[in-house]
Amino acid sequence: MKILAIEKEIESTDWSNADQILKDEARQAYRLVLAGSMREMYFTEEHIAVLILEADNLDRAREILGTLPLVKAGMIEFDVMELRPYTGFGRIMEGV
């Protein structure tokens, strides 16, 4: 199933010496892409990460996100939700 994960930065996070952990984060994200767990990654204009994951369920998606160094370090967390197919066309496509 597709999972949407939207980053929430922890307000008390000190980013002043984050160079190494950001490199580690990129490496782990790349591993997750290669494993097929992370399908898409974006930043909003406010530099908030938006991820599309592939996982069996929400708990598994949270486990995957928990492998990210920034999550492990308590610097960020994610709102996580399941994406389901849009069913609204059924309202206008009767008899088709």
Side-chain angles (χ1 to χ4, degrees), residues 42-78:
Y42 302 95
F43 282 123
T44 67
E45 63 275 5
E46 292 91 19
H47 207 72
I48 295 168
V50 178
L51 311 176
I52 304 292
L53 304 175
E54 188 67 36
D56 291 335
N57 54 52
L58 289 174
D59 288 335
R60 178 63 186 132
R62 288 184 187 98
E63 288 174 13
I64 292 166
L65 292 167
T67 69
L68 294 169
L70 292 173
V71 174
K72 285 181 181 180
M75 298 172 82
I76 63 170
E77 59 188 14
F78 285 89

Side-chain angles (χ1 to χ4, degrees), residues 6-72:
I6 301 174
E7 174 195 357
K8 295 188 312 183
E9 186 176 315
I10 308 301
E11 286 187 32
S12 60
T13 298
D14 177 11
W15 293 97
S16 61
N17 294 313
D19 289 345
Q20 186 57 51
I21 198 166
L22 290 171
K23 288 178 184 177
D24 294 342
E25 183 84 356
R27 283 186 192 92
Q28 180 59 13
Y30 182 59
R31 287 184 197 103
L32 293 173
V33 168
L34 292 177
S37 298
M38 193 176 301
R39 299 292 187 169
E40 300 175 47
M41 297 173 284
Y42 302 95
F43 282 123
T44 67
E45 63 275 5
E46 292 91 19
H47 207 72
I48 295 168
V50 178
L51 311 176
I52 304 292
L53 304 175
E54 188 67 36
D56 291 335
N57 54 52
L58 289 174
D59 288 335
R60 178 63 186 132
R62 288 184 187 98
E63 288 174 13
I64 292 166
L65 292 167
T67 69
L68 294 169
L70 292 173
V71 174
K72 285 181 181 180

